[in-house]
Amino acid sequence: MLGPGSSAATSSRPPSAACAPPPAPTRDEDLALVRAAALGDRVAFETVVDRHGPALTRYARRAVTDPMDAEDLVQEALVSAWQSLDRFDGRSSLRTWLFGILVHKIGSARRRRRAVPVQDEVLDRPGPGDPLQAASDGELRRALEAALATLPERQRAVWLLVQVEGLSQAEVASALRTTPDAVRGLLARARRSLAERMGQWRA
Amino acid sequence: MTGPERDAPPLTTEEEDLLDRSARLLAAEHPEEFIDVSARVRSTVRATTRRSRPVHAVFPSDAQGGGPDTLVVREWVVVGALRRALAALPGITPTQIRLRLEADRCRGVEVHVTATYGAVLADAASAVRTATRSTLADVLGPEALFVDRDAAGVPVDVTVDDVTA
C-alpha cells in the first residue's frame, strides 16, 4: 500500500515534472553560449553539451530499446546541433531545440529499424509480502521502463519530456512539432496507460 | 477538459503517487554512459567543420620579383578570428558575424554585438570596426581587403543588438 489516505481517492493534481531539474541554466546564459558556439567557440559548445547532454541521454535511453542506439542518437543529435547552431534563433529555449533535434533523430532511426518487443516478464508482479515501500527502486524502475516501452512512441515521448525532464507542454509541442492540445491529450493517455500497467505496484 | 482527459476517469491519488515516484526515479538519474557520449561528441566536434565558403587572402611575397602569394582561408577561420578579437574588447560580446563575399573576395563585414550598459555606443562601434579591420588584415592580408585602391577598406557594419547590465 502506498500509505494512509491514499486509497481510491481521486486526484485533481495537474501533471507536472516529478523532480525539480538540476540548477537550470537561464535562457540568457544558454543563448550567450549558443551565440559564442555559433561563432566557432568549441568550449562554449562543450558547456552546452555538459549542461544538456545528461538529460538528452536519459531521455534517449527510454525512447529506444538499445542502449548503444541511444548513445549514438544523442551523439548524432549533439553533433547535428553543432553543425546547425546558426539556425538556432532563440525563439524556443535551447533545451527545447536540442530535444527537438533528438526526437527527430530518434524518429528517423525508428523508421529505419524494426522496434524490439519488450519482454512481458519484466512486468511480473512483485512477490507476496513485497509492499511498495519495500520494493526496491530498481524493481520499480524496471517495471516502469517495461510499461513505458509498451506505450505508443509519442505518448512515451510526451510523458518523459513533461514528467521526467520538466518541459512545459508548450515546449514539448514545439519539440514534437505538434500542438499543445495534442500534447495534453497524449499526456493524459500516457498517464492513464502507465497507471493501469503499473497497477500491480499499488495492490 | 478535452478528449481523453474528459473521457477517462481521473487518476487516483495512489496512481498519481506511483507515477510521481516513478518519474522522480528517472529524473534523478545521471546516466553514466553520458561520460562516453560526451567524449565522443567532443572528439567529433573537434573534427567536424561546418560548411564554409572559401575566402581569398593575399600576402606580400618573400620572393624577389615575384607576385604576391595567395592563400584561401575558410570563412569559418575568419569568423573565429574575428570572434576572438571582438570578445577581447572591453564590454563587447559578438553575437553574429557575417562576411560579405563577392566570389571569394571579402567585400564587407556585418558584425552584431551586445554592449555593456553605460558604454558610449559610438565609441564601442568604432572599436569594433578597428578591431575587425585589423583582424581581417592579419588573416586575409592587407591587399585582400580593398574594394579598390581608393577606398579606405572593406566596410564594417556594426549593429548593437542589446545593451546588457
Side-chain angles (χ1 to χ4, degrees), chain A:
Chain A
M1 299 293 286
L2 279 171
S6 63
S7 61
T10 57
S11 169
S12 58
R13 285 182 295 179
S16 59
C19 180
T26 68
R27 197 164 170 147
D28 284 348
E29 288 171 344
D30 270 348
L31 188 56
L33 284 171
V34 169
R35 283 173 167 169
L39 294 177
D41 186 342
R42 285 181 166 87
V43 174
F45 185 72
E46 288 173 2
T47 304
V48 168
V49 170
D50 289 341
R51 280 185 175 182
H52 297 285
L56 296 172
T57 305
R58 194 166 48 220
Y59 172 78
R61 277 175 52 183
R62 269 80 197 197
V64 301
T65 51
D66 185 332
M68 296 303 292
D69 284 348
E71 291 183 29
D72 289 346
L73 288 164
V74 172
Q75 179 182 349
E76 283 179 30
L78 287 169
V79 172
S80 179
W82 163 252
Q83 291 174 306
S84 55
L85 280 169
D86 53 354
R87 277 183 252 152
F88 176 70
D89 57 14
R91 279 184 294 181
S92 65
S93 71
L94 176 60
R95 184 174 63 151
T96 302
W97 186 67
L98 292 172
F99 269 113
I101 294 172
L102 178 58
V103 165
H104 178 72
K105 295 282 181 193
I106 289 171
S108 298
R110 200 179 301 278
R111 284 189 288 276
R112 292 195 302 267
R113 304 165 196 160
R114 200 161 63 88
V116 178
V118 174
Q119 302 295 318
D120 286 344
E121 56 267 27
V122 183
L123 280 168
D124 282 353
R125 180 194 185 94
D130 272 337
L132 177 60
Q133 292 300 329
S136 74
D137 285 351
E139 287 172 329
L140 178 57
R141 184 184 291 111
R142 281 193 292 277
L144 171 66
E145 287 175 347
L148 275 172
T150 65
L151 292 184
E153 179 185 345
R154 288 174 77 79
Q155 287 186 32
R156 179 168 61 245
V158 165
W159 189 82
L160 287 169
L161 291 172
V162 172
Q163 297 228 248
V164 178
E165 302 306 335
L167 270 66
S168 71
Q169 294 182 18
E171 287 176 320
V172 174
S174 173
L176 297 182
R177 299 175 190 176
T178 186
T179 64
D181 279 349
V183 168
R184 188 160 49 249
L186 288 163
L187 181 62
R189 288 194 289 277
R191 286 162 53 79
R192 168 54 54 202
S193 296
L194 286 175
E196 288 172 358
R197 291 178 189 281
M198 297 181 70
Q200 59 202 13
W201 286 87
R202 291 178 290 111

